[in-house]
Amino acid sequence: MLTSREEGHNPYSSAHNLDGELGMVARTFIPQGGVILVEHPVIVVPADMEVDASVVGLDEAGSQSELYGALFSRLDSQMRKEVLALKDCSASPNAFTTRGIFNTNALDVRLEVDNRRKFQAKVQEQKYKALFLKTSRCNHSCGPNAVWRFDRLSFTLTLSAVRAIHPGEEITISYINPFLPRHTRRTQLQSEWNFVCHCTHCDAPWTFPSAISQSDKARYELSTFFKKLPDWEQWCFDENNEQFMIERHLRAMQMREKEGLEGFQDGTGSEIVAYMKHIDALVMCYGALADVQGFTKWVRKAREVKLAEGPDNALHVKVLDLWLKEPRKFYVWGWKRL
Ligand SMILES: [Zn+2]
Protein backbone atom coordinates (compact mmCIF):
# COMPACT_ATOMS: atom_id res chain seq x y z
CA MET A 1 0.00 0.00 0.00
CA LEU A 2 1.68 3.17 -1.16
CA THR A 3 -0.88 5.80 -1.84
CA SER A 4 -4.45 6.16 -0.85
CA ARG A 5 -7.23 8.51 -1.67
CA GLU A 6 -10.95 8.65 -1.14
CA GLU A 7 -10.94 9.04 2.64
CA GLY A 8 -14.21 9.68 4.46
CA HIS A 9 -16.51 7.03 5.87
CA ASN A 10 -15.78 4.28 3.39
CA PRO A 11 -14.16 1.18 4.88
CA TYR A 12 -11.92 1.02 1.81
CA SER A 13 -9.68 3.23 -0.28
CA SER A 14 -8.06 2.99 -3.64
CA ALA A 15 -4.38 2.12 -3.30
CA HIS A 16 -1.46 0.32 -4.90
CA ASN A 17 -0.96 -3.28 -3.84
CA LEU A 18 2.37 -5.04 -3.42
CA ASP A 19 2.57 -5.71 -7.20
CA GLY A 20 2.16 -2.01 -7.93
CA GLU A 21 -1.35 -2.54 -9.32
CA LEU A 22 -4.07 -0.13 -8.34
CA GLY A 23 -6.63 -1.93 -6.22
CA MET A 24 -9.01 -1.59 -3.30
CA VAL A 25 -7.60 -1.74 0.21
CA ALA A 26 -9.38 -1.91 3.58
CA ARG A 27 -8.99 1.24 5.69
CA THR A 28 -10.80 -0.14 8.71
CA PHE A 29 -11.58 -3.58 10.10
CA ILE A 30 -14.41 -5.21 8.13
CA PRO A 31 -16.07 -8.17 9.92
CA GLN A 32 -17.20 -11.34 8.15
CA GLY A 33 -20.47 -10.50 6.40
CA GLY A 34 -19.77 -6.75 6.63
CA VAL A 35 -20.91 -4.58 3.73
CA ILE A 36 -17.99 -2.90 1.95
CA LEU A 37 -19.99 -0.89 -0.55
CA VAL A 38 -23.30 -0.63 -2.39
CA GLU A 39 -23.47 0.89 -5.87
CA HIS A 40 -25.51 1.20 -9.06
CA PRO A 41 -24.07 0.28 -12.46
CA VAL A 42 -22.99 3.16 -14.71
CA ILE A 43 -23.49 1.27 -18.01
CA VAL A 44 -25.52 -1.90 -18.70
CA VAL A 45 -25.64 -3.72 -22.06
CA PRO A 46 -27.02 -7.14 -23.10
CA ALA A 47 -24.30 -9.77 -22.79
CA ASP A 48 -25.12 -11.68 -25.95
CA MET A 49 -24.60 -8.85 -28.36
CA GLU A 50 -22.36 -5.91 -28.76
CA VAL A 51 -24.10 -2.58 -28.28
CA ASP A 52 -26.85 -2.03 -30.82
CA ALA A 53 -25.74 0.84 -33.07
CA SER A 54 -29.19 2.38 -33.34
CA VAL A 55 -29.46 2.72 -29.56
CA VAL A 56 -26.73 5.31 -29.49
CA GLY A 57 -27.59 6.92 -32.82
CA LEU A 58 -24.74 5.58 -34.95
CA ASP A 59 -25.04 3.80 -38.28
CA GLU A 60 -24.15 0.13 -38.52
CA ALA A 61 -20.71 0.94 -39.80
CA GLY A 62 -19.70 2.56 -36.51
CA SER A 63 -16.94 0.50 -34.98
CA GLN A 64 -17.63 -1.20 -31.66
CA SER A 65 -15.22 1.17 -29.96
CA GLU A 66 -17.18 4.12 -31.28
CA LEU A 67 -20.33 2.57 -29.88
CA TYR A 68 -18.77 2.24 -26.46
CA GLY A 69 -17.29 5.72 -26.87
CA ALA A 70 -20.80 7.05 -27.49
CA LEU A 71 -22.10 5.27 -24.39
CA PHE A 72 -19.23 6.63 -22.32
CA SER A 73 -19.85 10.15 -23.63
CA ARG A 74 -23.29 10.10 -22.04
CA LEU A 75 -21.82 9.86 -18.57
CA ASP A 76 -21.31 13.06 -16.65
CA SER A 77 -17.76 14.39 -16.86
CA GLN A 78 -16.59 13.25 -13.40
CA MET A 79 -17.95 9.75 -13.91
CA ARG A 80 -16.46 9.57 -17.40
CA LYS A 81 -13.09 10.55 -16.01
CA GLU A 82 -13.29 7.76 -13.45
CA VAL A 83 -14.41 5.21 -16.05
CA LEU A 84 -11.59 6.18 -18.40
CA ALA A 85 -9.11 5.72 -15.56
CA LEU A 86 -10.06 2.02 -15.32
CA LYS A 87 -7.82 -0.60 -16.82
CA ASP A 88 -8.06 -2.03 -20.35
CA CYS A 89 -6.28 -5.37 -20.04
CA SER A 90 -6.19 -5.88 -23.82
CA ALA A 91 -3.97 -2.86 -24.45
CA SER A 92 -0.93 -1.05 -23.13
CA PRO A 93 -1.73 1.81 -20.72
CA ASN A 94 -1.70 4.51 -23.39
CA ALA A 95 -3.59 2.57 -26.04
CA PHE A 96 -6.80 1.74 -24.18
CA THR A 97 -10.18 1.70 -25.91
CA THR A 98 -13.57 2.31 -24.35
CA ARG A 99 -14.62 -1.16 -25.50
CA GLY A 100 -11.51 -2.65 -23.88
CA ILE A 101 -12.23 -0.85 -20.62
CA PHE A 102 -15.83 -2.06 -20.66
CA ASN A 103 -14.96 -5.68 -21.40
CA THR A 104 -12.16 -5.74 -18.83
CA ASN A 105 -14.31 -4.46 -16.00
CA ALA A 106 -17.96 -5.33 -16.68
CA LEU A 107 -19.61 -7.99 -14.50
CA ASP A 108 -22.28 -10.48 -15.59
CA VAL A 109 -25.68 -9.75 -14.10
CA ARG A 110 -29.11 -11.19 -14.78
CA LEU A 111 -32.16 -9.07 -15.36
CA GLU A 112 -35.76 -10.04 -15.86
CA VAL A 113 -36.87 -9.75 -19.50
CA ASP A 114 -39.94 -7.76 -20.51
CA ASN A 115 -43.31 -9.47 -20.82
CA ARG A 116 -43.25 -9.58 -24.63
CA ARG A 117 -39.93 -11.39 -24.69
CA LYS A 118 -41.03 -13.64 -21.85
CA PHE A 119 -43.90 -14.75 -24.06
CA GLN A 120 -42.01 -14.92 -27.37
CA ALA A 121 -38.73 -16.46 -26.22
CA LYS A 122 -40.11 -18.21 -23.12
CA VAL A 123 -37.24 -16.95 -21.01
CA GLN A 124 -37.58 -15.27 -17.63
CA GLU A 125 -34.24 -13.54 -17.47
CA GLN A 126 -31.37 -12.50 -19.64
CA LYS A 127 -27.68 -11.98 -19.09
CA TYR A 128 -26.32 -8.44 -19.19
CA LYS A 129 -22.92 -6.92 -18.69
CA ALA A 130 -22.81 -4.10 -16.18
CA LEU A 131 -20.00 -1.72 -15.38
CA PHE A 132 -19.64 -0.70 -11.71
CA LEU A 133 -17.19 2.07 -10.98
CA LYS A 134 -16.01 1.15 -7.50
CA THR A 135 -16.12 -2.63 -7.68
CA SER A 136 -14.11 -2.43 -10.91
CA ARG A 137 -11.14 -1.46 -8.77
CA CYS A 138 -11.10 -4.84 -7.04
CA ASN A 139 -8.34 -7.12 -8.21
CA HIS A 140 -8.74 -10.85 -8.59
CA SER A 141 -7.83 -13.62 -6.15
CA CYS A 142 -8.61 -17.36 -6.42
CA GLY A 143 -9.43 -17.17 -2.70
CA PRO A 144 -11.05 -13.74 -2.51
CA ASN A 145 -12.06 -12.09 0.75
CA ALA A 146 -15.13 -10.43 -0.77
CA VAL A 147 -18.11 -11.39 -2.94
CA TRP A 148 -20.55 -9.22 -4.82
CA ARG A 149 -24.19 -9.87 -5.51
CA PHE A 150 -26.57 -7.94 -7.71
CA ASP A 151 -30.12 -7.26 -6.64
CA ARG A 152 -32.45 -6.83 -9.62
CA LEU A 153 -35.18 -5.05 -7.70
CA SER A 154 -33.04 -2.28 -6.26
CA PHE A 155 -30.66 -2.46 -9.25
CA THR A 156 -27.71 -2.39 -6.88
CA LEU A 157 -24.56 -4.36 -6.34
CA THR A 158 -23.48 -5.12 -2.77
CA LEU A 159 -19.88 -6.02 -2.07
CA SER A 160 -19.36 -7.79 1.24
CA ALA A 161 -16.62 -9.50 3.20
CA VAL A 162 -16.66 -13.31 3.35
CA ARG A 163 -14.10 -13.35 6.15
CA ALA A 164 -12.72 -10.67 8.44
CA ILE A 165 -10.61 -8.13 6.54
CA HIS A 166 -7.98 -6.12 8.41
CA PRO A 167 -6.84 -2.54 7.73
CA GLY A 168 -4.24 -2.42 4.95
CA GLU A 169 -5.38 -5.75 3.47
CA GLU A 170 -6.31 -5.74 -0.21
CA ILE A 171 -9.99 -6.41 -0.95
CA THR A 172 -10.35 -8.99 -3.73
CA ILE A 173 -13.10 -10.71 -5.70
CA SER A 174 -12.97 -13.67 -8.09
CA TYR A 175 -13.31 -12.94 -11.82
CA ILE A 176 -13.89 -16.61 -12.60
CA ASN A 177 -15.36 -19.77 -11.10
CA PRO A 178 -12.83 -20.33 -8.27
CA PHE A 179 -13.63 -24.06 -8.01
CA LEU A 180 -11.80 -24.74 -11.28
CA PRO A 181 -8.37 -26.37 -11.00
CA ARG A 182 -5.37 -24.05 -10.79
CA HIS A 183 -4.22 -24.67 -14.37
CA THR A 184 -7.67 -23.91 -15.84
CA ARG A 185 -8.06 -20.80 -13.67
CA ARG A 186 -4.73 -19.42 -14.77
CA THR A 187 -5.39 -20.18 -18.45
CA GLN A 188 -8.77 -18.47 -18.32
CA LEU A 189 -7.43 -15.40 -16.50
CA GLN A 190 -4.57 -15.16 -18.96
CA SER A 191 -6.80 -15.39 -22.03
CA GLU A 192 -9.61 -13.12 -20.79
CA TRP A 193 -7.76 -10.63 -18.58
CA ASN A 194 -4.23 -10.97 -19.87
CA PHE A 195 -2.45 -11.69 -16.61
CA VAL A 196 -0.85 -14.63 -14.87
CA CYS A 197 -2.49 -15.13 -11.50
CA HIS A 198 0.00 -14.84 -8.65
CA CYS A 199 -2.56 -14.88 -5.86
CA THR A 200 -1.48 -16.70 -2.69
CA HIS A 201 -3.46 -19.78 -3.78
CA CYS A 202 -1.79 -19.99 -7.19
CA ASP A 203 1.74 -19.21 -6.01
CA ALA A 204 1.92 -21.04 -2.69
CA PRO A 205 1.99 -24.58 -4.18
CA TRP A 206 5.38 -24.04 -5.79
CA THR A 207 7.06 -24.72 -2.49
CA PHE A 208 5.24 -28.03 -2.22
CA PRO A 209 4.24 -29.44 -5.66
CA SER A 210 1.65 -31.99 -4.49
CA ALA A 211 -0.17 -29.07 -2.87
CA ILE A 212 -1.46 -28.15 -6.35
CA SER A 213 -3.34 -31.41 -6.76
CA GLN A 214 -4.47 -31.28 -3.14
CA SER A 215 -5.87 -27.81 -3.65
CA ASP A 216 -7.56 -28.82 -6.94
CA LYS A 217 -9.10 -31.85 -5.22
CA ALA A 218 -10.31 -29.78 -2.25
CA ARG A 219 -11.90 -27.23 -4.58
CA TYR A 220 -13.70 -29.96 -6.51
CA GLU A 221 -14.95 -31.55 -3.30
CA LEU A 222 -16.25 -28.20 -2.06
CA SER A 223 -17.99 -27.48 -5.36
CA THR A 224 -20.14 -30.60 -4.91
CA PHE A 225 -20.40 -30.50 -1.11
CA PHE A 226 -24.01 -29.40 -0.77
CA LYS A 227 -25.16 -31.56 -3.69
CA LYS A 228 -23.67 -34.67 -2.09
CA LEU A 229 -24.64 -33.85 1.47
CA PRO A 230 -27.01 -36.49 2.92
CA ASP A 231 -30.45 -35.34 3.87
CA TRP A 232 -30.58 -33.62 7.28
CA GLU A 233 -33.78 -35.33 8.40
CA GLN A 234 -32.39 -38.71 7.50
CA TRP A 235 -29.37 -37.96 9.70
CA CYS A 236 -31.67 -36.71 12.41
CA PHE A 237 -33.68 -39.90 12.63
CA ASP A 238 -30.76 -42.27 12.18
CA GLU A 239 -29.82 -43.70 15.57
CA ASN A 240 -26.15 -43.99 14.65
CA ASN A 241 -23.79 -41.46 13.17
CA GLU A 242 -24.35 -38.86 15.84
CA GLN A 243 -21.46 -36.58 14.93
CA PHE A 244 -21.36 -37.41 11.21
CA MET A 245 -23.19 -34.34 9.89
CA ILE A 246 -21.31 -31.99 12.23
CA GLU A 247 -17.95 -33.41 11.17
CA ARG A 248 -18.83 -33.00 7.49
CA HIS A 249 -19.63 -29.30 7.93
CA LEU A 250 -16.63 -28.55 10.14
CA ARG A 251 -14.29 -30.25 7.68
CA ALA A 252 -15.78 -28.31 4.75
CA MET A 253 -15.42 -25.05 6.68
CA GLN A 254 -11.75 -25.82 7.35
CA MET A 255 -11.19 -26.59 3.67
CA ARG A 256 -12.92 -23.36 2.69
CA GLU A 257 -10.70 -21.37 5.03
CA LYS A 258 -7.59 -22.98 3.57
CA GLU A 259 -8.70 -22.41 -0.03
CA GLY A 260 -10.23 -19.00 0.65
CA LEU A 261 -13.63 -20.15 -0.61
CA GLU A 262 -15.90 -19.06 2.25
CA GLY A 263 -18.01 -17.04 -0.15
CA PHE A 264 -18.89 -19.64 -2.76
CA GLN A 265 -21.38 -22.43 -2.65
CA ASP A 266 -20.75 -24.31 -5.88
CA GLY A 267 -19.52 -21.95 -8.57
CA THR A 268 -22.94 -21.37 -10.10
CA GLY A 269 -23.19 -17.86 -8.72
CA SER A 270 -25.58 -18.83 -5.95
CA GLU A 271 -26.83 -16.00 -3.81
CA ILE A 272 -26.26 -17.58 -0.42
CA VAL A 273 -22.68 -17.54 0.78
CA ALA A 274 -21.38 -20.94 1.78
CA TYR A 275 -20.08 -20.13 5.27
CA MET A 276 -23.56 -19.04 6.35
CA LYS A 277 -25.04 -22.32 5.12
CA HIS A 278 -22.54 -24.24 7.25
CA ILE A 279 -23.24 -22.07 10.30
CA ASP A 280 -27.01 -22.56 9.91
CA ALA A 281 -26.50 -26.32 9.49
CA LEU A 282 -24.38 -26.54 12.64
CA VAL A 283 -27.03 -24.64 14.60
CA MET A 284 -29.60 -27.19 13.37
CA CYS A 285 -27.38 -30.19 14.22
CA TYR A 286 -26.45 -29.09 17.73
CA GLY A 287 -30.04 -28.06 18.32
CA ALA A 288 -31.30 -31.49 17.27
CA LEU A 289 -28.73 -33.09 19.58
CA ALA A 290 -29.90 -30.80 22.43
CA ASP A 291 -26.25 -29.84 22.90
CA VAL A 292 -26.47 -26.47 24.64
CA GLN A 293 -22.76 -25.67 24.37
CA GLY A 294 -22.43 -26.41 20.63
CA PHE A 295 -25.77 -24.79 19.90
CA THR A 296 -24.89 -21.59 21.76
CA LYS A 297 -21.50 -21.35 20.06
CA TRP A 298 -22.95 -21.47 16.54
CA VAL A 299 -26.00 -19.31 17.26
CA ARG A 300 -23.56 -16.67 18.57
CA LYS A 301 -21.54 -16.98 15.36
CA ALA A 302 -24.69 -16.62 13.24
CA ARG A 303 -25.68 -13.57 15.30
CA GLU A 304 -22.27 -11.97 14.78
CA VAL A 305 -22.49 -12.37 10.99
CA LYS A 306 -26.13 -11.24 10.79
CA LEU A 307 -25.28 -8.11 12.77
CA ALA A 308 -22.33 -7.37 10.48
CA GLU A 309 -24.54 -7.77 7.39
CA GLY A 310 -26.60 -4.77 8.42
CA PRO A 311 -29.79 -3.44 9.96
CA ASP A 312 -32.08 -5.46 7.65
CA ASN A 313 -31.40 -8.46 9.85
CA ALA A 314 -32.83 -6.95 13.04
CA LEU A 315 -35.69 -9.45 13.20
CA HIS A 316 -33.41 -12.38 12.47
CA VAL A 317 -31.07 -11.25 15.30
CA LYS A 318 -34.05 -11.03 17.68
CA VAL A 319 -34.95 -14.64 16.94
CA LEU A 320 -31.33 -15.71 17.52
CA ASP A 321 -31.35 -13.82 20.83
CA LEU A 322 -34.45 -15.72 21.87
CA TRP A 323 -32.78 -19.05 21.08
CA LEU A 324 -29.69 -18.03 23.04
CA LYS A 325 -31.86 -17.26 26.04
CA GLU A 326 -34.04 -20.30 25.72
CA PRO A 327 -32.47 -22.99 23.51
CA ARG A 328 -35.47 -25.23 24.10
CA LYS A 329 -37.57 -22.85 22.02
CA PHE A 330 -35.49 -23.79 18.97
CA TYR A 331 -37.86 -25.45 16.52
CA VAL A 332 -36.04 -28.79 16.22
CA TRP A 333 -34.62 -28.87 19.76
CA GLY A 334 -33.71 -32.42 20.77
CA TRP A 335 -35.23 -34.05 17.68
CA LYS A 336 -32.32 -36.46 17.39
CA ARG A 337 -32.85 -37.46 21.02
CA LEU A 338 -36.48 -38.44 20.54
ZN1 LIG B 1 -4.90 -17.39 -8.43
Side-chain angles (χ1 to χ4, degrees):
M1 186 172 64
L2 298 171
T3 58
S4 71
R5 45 177 209 263
E6 212 179 285
E7 299 300 312
H9 298 295
N10 294 332
Y12 63 88
S13 63
S14 175
H16 290 281
N17 66 12
L18 294 173
D19 300 326
E21 291 271 349
L22 201 60
M24 189 187 278
V25 172
R27 290 178 56 223
T28 53
F29 176 76
I30 308 166
Q32 185 175 40
V35 173
I36 301 163
L37 65 87
V38 178
E39 66 174 329
H40 292 293
V42 290
I43 296 175
V44 183
V45 299
D48 58 353
M49 56 179 151
E50 291 276 2
V51 186
D52 184 348
S54 61
V55 172
V56 286
L58 288 177
D59 60 43
E60 295 274 350
S63 73
Q64 293 299 340
S65 273
E66 276 179 80
L67 291 169
Y68 283 101
L71 278 175
F72 279 36
S73 73
R74 294 182 170 201
L75 302 171
D76 73 49
S77 61
Q78 179 56 32
M79 206 177 261
R80 189 162 60 243
K81 220 171 110 187
E82 287 183 48
V83 170
L84 289 174
L86 294 173
K87 196 168 175 174
D88 172 0
C89 70
S90 62
S92 59
N94 295 321
F96 68 84
T97 65
T98 47
R99 184 189 183 191
I101 288 178
F102 186 82
N103 286 330
T104 300
N105 295 285
L107 300 173
D108 293 335
V109 297
R110 287 180 174 279
L111 293 174
E112 208 171 328
V113 299
D114 62 43
N115 282 338
R116 195 168 52 103
R117 207 173 132 72
K118 243 183 225 171
F119 180 73
Q120 281 174 347
K122 297 204 168 24
V123 285
Q124 297 293 315
E125 50 179 34
Q126 197 182 332
K127 253 189 178 178
Y128 285 80
K129 280 192 169 294
L131 184 68
F132 297 89
L133 260 187
K134 293 169 184 150
T135 308
S136 287
R137 296 202 194 121
C138 284
N139 287 318
H140 165 86
S141 167
C142 299
N145 53 19
V147 286
W148 61 270
R149 62 170 198 281
F150 182 71
D151 177 46
R152 294 195 292 212
L153 292 178
S154 59
F155 215 62
T156 51
L157 171 150
T158 304
L159 183 70
S160 40
V162 293
R163 55 180 175 269
I165 305 177
H166 299 272
E169 209 180 310
E170 183 170 13
I171 298 168
T172 51
I173 57 173
S174 183
Y175 295 177
I176 53 166
N177 172 1
F179 290 105
L180 295 168
R182 175 176 177 271
H183 177 73
T184 317
R185 297 197 308 269
R186 288 188 129 194
T187 309
Q188 195 180 341
L189 291 164
Q190 171 89 70
S191 75
E192 286 180 45
W193 284 273
N194 206 13
F195 72 92
V196 177
C197 188
H198 287 295
C199 77
T200 47
H201 300 277
C202 284
D203 269 1
W206 289 116
T207 54
F208 177 35
S210 68
I212 297 173
S213 59
Q214 275 179 21
S215 165
D216 288 352
K217 238 175 95 185
R219 282 170 191 251
Y220 177 74
E221 191 181 324
L222 288 173
S223 73
T224 57
F225 177 85
F226 288 108
K227 245 179 272 164
K228 289 188 178 165
L229 190 68
D231 184 56
W232 183 84
E233 282 186 14
Q234 215 177 339
W235 166 79
C236 197
F237 297 111
D238 179 353
E239 283 170 25
N240 308 309
N241 293 331
E242 194 157 281
Q243 295 296 313
F244 163 79
M245 199 61 117
I246 290 171
E247 282 162 7
R248 288 278 289 252
H249 283 287
L250 291 177
R251 184 179 126 82
M253 281 176 103
Q254 262 177 9
M255 282 162 77
R256 283 185 199 282
E257 265 170 46
K258 191 169 175 223
E259 300 296 328
L261 294 179
E262 295 92 333
F264 302 90
Q265 193 179 313
D266 53 17
T268 57
S270 167
E271 296 277 309
I272 308 160
V273 287
Y275 67 82
M276 203 58 225
K277 281 195 84 168
H278 291 302
I279 295 171
D280 285 345
L282 287 163
V283 167
M284 290 278 286
C285 289
Y286 281 112
L289 285 165
D291 178 330
V292 177
Q293 206 185 353
F295 179 77
T296 307
K297 177 182 168 181
W298 290 102
V299 174
R300 281 211 178 105
K301 182 70 199 164
R303 188 182 187 279
E304 193 185 303
V305 176
K306 287 290 155 202
L307 273 178
E309 282 176 358
D312 290 354
N313 290 329
L315 196 65
H316 195 137
V317 172
K318 253 189 182 172
V319 174
L320 295 172
D321 280 339
L322 175 75
W323 292 342
L324 279 176
K325 229 170 111 192
E326 292 181 73
R328 277 160 195 80
K329 292 234 162 120
F330 186 58
Y331 55 100
V332 293
W333 188 257
W335 274 26
K336 199 165 165 57
R337 296 273 177 247
L338 293 176

